[in-house]
Amino acid sequence: MFNINTSKEPTSSSETSEKKIMSDLDLDKIGFYFIGTQQRFRENIIIPRTAGPIKLKTNEEKLIESIMESCTFKSIASGVIGYGLGAAIGLFTSSVNPNVASVEKQQSVREVFKEMKTTTLGYAKNFAIIGCTFSAIECAVESYRGKSDWKNSAYAGGLTGGIIGLRAGVKAGLIGAAGFAAFSTAMDYYMHIS
């Protein structure tokens, strides 16, 4: 298509103008245009999708996303949410089933509130520990395996139940591991089905 004369034989100027359509500088510009520059403009890139173009994430959005997907953040968030859920359940449990120590003596309001505080904080602490431990182990297992499937929750449930159950002994640890693994697998199955 393009005629570039690479021979060293002298040619007349009329013959050169007829054979040579573009100069070397123009060819360099075309090659540079097709190969591209070293700068890429992110706003001009469109990735086709059925529902429309995708807006590419900025570096700040990628940073926040990487922080929120880290195992540390997930564990802390699970601990905080578990603490709140445990406090709500503990408050409900202490109000429904008050601990009446003695029948002869009437409890004062201060004693009832103190008992409610103790029960609420106990439940909150236990739920926070369970949530944080389960989330940390599940994230670590998922990172190690490189897969996101039902086995991650089963392994995490088994380890979490075993760790928590070991406080009461080896037998309780084994029963806790089996029970927590079965429960977390069933919950994972239910969440993925619905």
Side-chain angles (χ1 to χ4, degrees):
M1 181 172 169
F2 298 111
N3 186 7
I4 301 173
N5 190 359
T6 57
S7 65
K8 296 188 179 185
E9 299 175 4
T11 57
S12 65
S13 63
S14 64
E15 189 178 323
T16 305
S17 64
E18 290 176 7
K19 290 184 177 180
K20 195 170 189 183
I21 298 173
M22 300 186 118
S23 67
D24 291 338
L25 183 62
D26 291 335
L27 289 173
D28 287 343
K29 286 181 183 178
I30 290 173
F32 191 68
Y33 176 78
F34 283 123
I35 293 172
T37 62
Q38 297 300 318
Q39 296 178 343
R40 297 286 182 202
F41 299 102
R42 295 181 50 131
E43 292 79 22
N44 295 337
I45 298 173
I46 297 175
I47 301 171
R49 189 172 83 169
T50 57
I54 299 172
K55 182 183 179 297
L56 296 177
K57 297 176 184 171
T58 62
N59 289 337
E60 290 83 14
E61 290 173 333
K62 289 180 182 178
L63 176 68
I64 295 298
E65 188 176 271
S66 67
I67 289 171
M68 292 185 73
E69 289 180 358
S70 68
C71 291
T72 305
F73 181 82
K74 287 180 181 179
S75 300
I76 292 171
S78 295
V80 169
I81 292 169
Y83 189 87
L85 181 65
I89 291 174
L91 183 63
F92 176 75
T93 303
S94 65
S95 65
V96 171
N97 189 17
N99 185 13
V100 179
S102 62
V103 178
E104 307 95 36
K105 182 182 167 195
Q106 188 73 14
Q107 276 187 323
S108 68
V109 175
R110 178 175 283 171
E111 290 172 343
V112 170
F113 281 145
K114 187 176 181 182
E115 177 193 332
M116 287 176 76
K117 177 185 171 188
T118 305
T119 306
T120 302
L121 290 177
Y123 273 86
K125 182 187 75 161
N126 288 336
F127 272 72
I129 289 170
I130 290 171
C132 186
T133 305
F134 180 81
S135 180
I137 292 173
E138 183 181 31
C139 189
V141 167
E142 185 174 331
S143 298
Y144 177 75
R145 291 185 67 226
K147 295 179 185 177
S148 180
D149 57 1
W150 64 273
K151 292 180 183 178
N152 294 338
S153 61
Y155 295 147
L159 286 171
T160 303
I163 290 170
I164 292 172
L166 277 177
R167 295 186 294 182
V170 176
K171 186 177 179 182
L174 292 173
I175 292 171
F180 211 104
F183 176 74
S184 60
T185 304
M187 288 303 296
D188 190 61
Y189 177 76
Y190 174 75
M191 295 299 284
H192 281 89
I193 291 298
S194 60

